């Protein structure tokens, strides 16, 4: 069996140490804030980044450039390794298309290689959960083709349950009208969001008050996960660790799952959600 590697985009939002321990190579997107451009996962700390957003700064993100992807991938091909790439959702970024272009161009130079680029239709730790499952299969000795088949079959079973604290960031991203954002903020309306089967963010409900919105996304995860073997639940947050810890406690109570990984949301995804975002990711019957 030809050796292969699994690579991801930085929007996977898993801890850097977790990725290093599993030898996962990351192809980063970028963000620009306060006149400086950084690779995702680098530059500012989570606290510094969200403090800038709170002070009124705007962060602008940019997708992967095919040439940058080629530079990261080519050393593996020179070593005779194939590549399975789990890409950021095409419903949220042009990154998937850039990764496909990079793969096509490299395959012209390395015609005997295999580069598979999967549109995960996932974002943030939804990508992370899919990566976790793919790595498990690889460690069990599954081939690249077998892992690809499993990911394609199961990617729409990765459930994203999200709430945000500040509606104005959603407005700037085109998800809410300005009037809805202003009125919702005044009456403490907290939207409930998910990633749909097209890999796009959709507002699917609302709760009045932060605690109710946090409880709601755990309730959703618990319902989705019925009948599914979730060996790991992922929780992300936008510089609101107390809320993330509350979610973890609720997951333990409602779902009986102890293996929970909490990590701050990345700078690229966080640019669009703003501070105060909180989310629970699980495998489930439907999104």
């Amino acid at each position: 069996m030809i050796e292969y590697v699994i690579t991801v985009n930085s929007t996977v939002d898993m801890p850097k140490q977790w990725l290093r321990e599993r030898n996962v190579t990351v192809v980063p997107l970028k963000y620009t804030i306060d006149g400086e451009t950084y690779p995702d996962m680098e530059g500012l700390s989570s606290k510094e980044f969200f403090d800038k957003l709170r002070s009124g700064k705007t962060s602008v993100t940019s997708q992967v450039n095919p040439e940058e992807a080629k530079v990261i991938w080519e050393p593996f091909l020179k070593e005779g390794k194939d590549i399975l790439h789990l890409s950021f959702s095409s419903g949220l970024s042009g990154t998937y298309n850039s990764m496909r272009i990079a793969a096509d161009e490299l395959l012209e130079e390395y015609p005997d290689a295999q580069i598979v680029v999967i549109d995960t239709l996932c974002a943030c730790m939804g990508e992370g959960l899919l990566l976790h499952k793919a790595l498990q299969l690889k460690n069990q000795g599954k081939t690249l083709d077998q892992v690809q088949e499993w990911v394609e079959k199961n990617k729409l079973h990765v459930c994203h349950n999200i709430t945000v604290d500040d509606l104005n960031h959603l407005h700037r991203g085109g998800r809410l009208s300005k009037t809805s954002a202003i009125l919702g903020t005044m009456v403490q309306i907290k939207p409930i969001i998910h990633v749909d089967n097209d890999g796009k963010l959709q507002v699917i409900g609302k709760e009045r008050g932060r605690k109710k919105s946090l409880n709601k996304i755990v309730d959703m995860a618990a319902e989705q996960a019925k009948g599914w073997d979730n060996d790991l639940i992922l929780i992300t947050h936008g510089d609101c660790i107390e809320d993330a810890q509350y979610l973890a406690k609720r997951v333990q109570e409602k779902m009986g799952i102890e293996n929970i990984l909490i990590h701050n949301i990345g700078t690229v995804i966080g640019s669009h959600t703003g501070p105060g975002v909180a989310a629970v990711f699980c495998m489930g019957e439907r999104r």
Side-chain angles (χ1 to χ4, degrees):
M1 182 177 74
I2 297 176
E3 189 176 353
Y4 66 97
V5 297
I6 298 176
T7 65
V8 294
N9 290 118
S10 57
T11 46
V12 74
D13 286 353
M14 297 294 278
K16 286 189 280 188
Q17 182 62 30
W18 188 96
L19 294 165
R20 280 194 294 266
E21 289 172 355
R22 291 157 179 80
N23 297 313
V24 176
T25 295
V26 174
V27 183
L29 283 75
K30 292 187 175 69
Y31 67 103
T32 300
I33 189 168
D34 214 10
E36 297 290 336
T37 299
Y38 309 97
D40 194 13
M41 293 183 160
E42 304 296 339
L44 302 175
S45 69
S46 180
K47 179 68 174 173
E48 291 169 334
F49 174 75
F50 284 114
D51 279 348
K52 283 183 179 289
L53 293 187
R54 290 186 180 103
S55 73
K57 303 291 185 182
T58 299
S59 176
V60 178
T61 62
S62 54
Q63 66 190 52
V64 172
N65 180 300
E67 292 303 316
E68 295 168 340
K70 287 167 65 177
V71 168
I72 292 172
W73 275 347
E74 190 167 21
F76 295 120
L77 302 178
K78 288 181 176 179
E79 294 172 0
K81 298 176 182 177
D82 291 335
I83 298 169
L84 174 62
H85 181 76
L86 305 181
S87 182
F88 185 28
S89 172
S90 64
L92 295 171
S93 170
T95 291
Y96 167 69
N97 189 51
S98 293
M99 304 306 298
R100 284 290 316 140
I101 292 170
D104 290 343
E105 291 180 357
L106 283 171
L107 287 172
E108 290 181 5
E109 301 177 48
Y110 299 88
D112 295 330
Q114 184 179 14
I115 307 175
V116 174
V117 180
I118 295 178
D119 181 2
T120 66
L121 300 174
C122 294
C124 192
M125 282 182 136
E127 294 172 73
L129 189 53
L130 208 55
L131 171 63
H132 165 67
K133 297 292 187 180
L135 290 170
Q136 285 183 327
L137 293 171
K138 183 175 186 288
N139 291 336
Q140 292 168 13
K142 303 297 185 183
T143 66
L144 186 155
D145 290 339
Q146 289 172 322
V147 177
Q148 176 192 6
E149 180 182 4
W150 187 94
V151 170
E152 290 287 8
K153 181 179 178 181
N154 288 278
K155 64 187 183 183
L156 294 182
H157 291 295
V158 179
C159 303
H160 308 58
N161 302 294
I162 310 156
T163 188
V164 298
D165 199 38
D166 183 352
L167 295 173
N168 291 303
H169 290 278
L170 284 176
H171 161 60
R172 284 195 288 269
R175 298 296 168 187
L176 284 178
S177 70
K178 184 175 183 180
T179 300
S180 295
I182 292 172
L183 291 176
T185 300
M186 288 174 61
V187 298
Q188 284 295 295
I189 292 296
K190 306 301 181 185
I192 305 300
I193 304 165
H194 83 150
V195 174
D196 66 16
N197 286 350
D198 294 322
K200 298 179 180 180
L201 283 173
Q202 297 292 345
V203 178
I204 58 172
K206 56 189 176 183
E207 297 288 334
R208 180 163 292 182
R210 179 67 164 178
K211 188 62 67 70
K212 286 184 178 180
S213 70
L214 295 174
N215 288 336
K216 179 64 175 180
I217 61 175
V218 175
D219 291 345
M220 290 167 58
E223 185 64 28
Q224 292 160 339
K226 286 180 178 177
W228 283 75
D229 180 20
N230 275 282
D231 65 314
L232 175 66
I233 297 293
L234 300 179
I235 294 174
T236 194
H237 66 95
D239 195 30
C240 52
I241 183 62
E242 295 86 0
D243 289 339
Q245 291 167 341
Y246 175 78
L247 288 173
K249 182 172 180 287
R250 289 284 293 153
V251 165
Q252 290 170 344
E253 292 170 351
K254 291 274 298 185
M255 304 174 69
I257 298 172
E258 299 291 331
N259 191 21
I260 301 169
L261 174 60
I262 298 174
H263 189 56
N264 53 272
I265 202 165
T267 41
V268 164
I269 302 292
S271 296
H272 300 283
T273 62
V277 62
V280 178
F281 305 87
C282 67
M283 299 296 296
E285 185 59 31
R286 63 181 61 87
R287 291 184 171 185

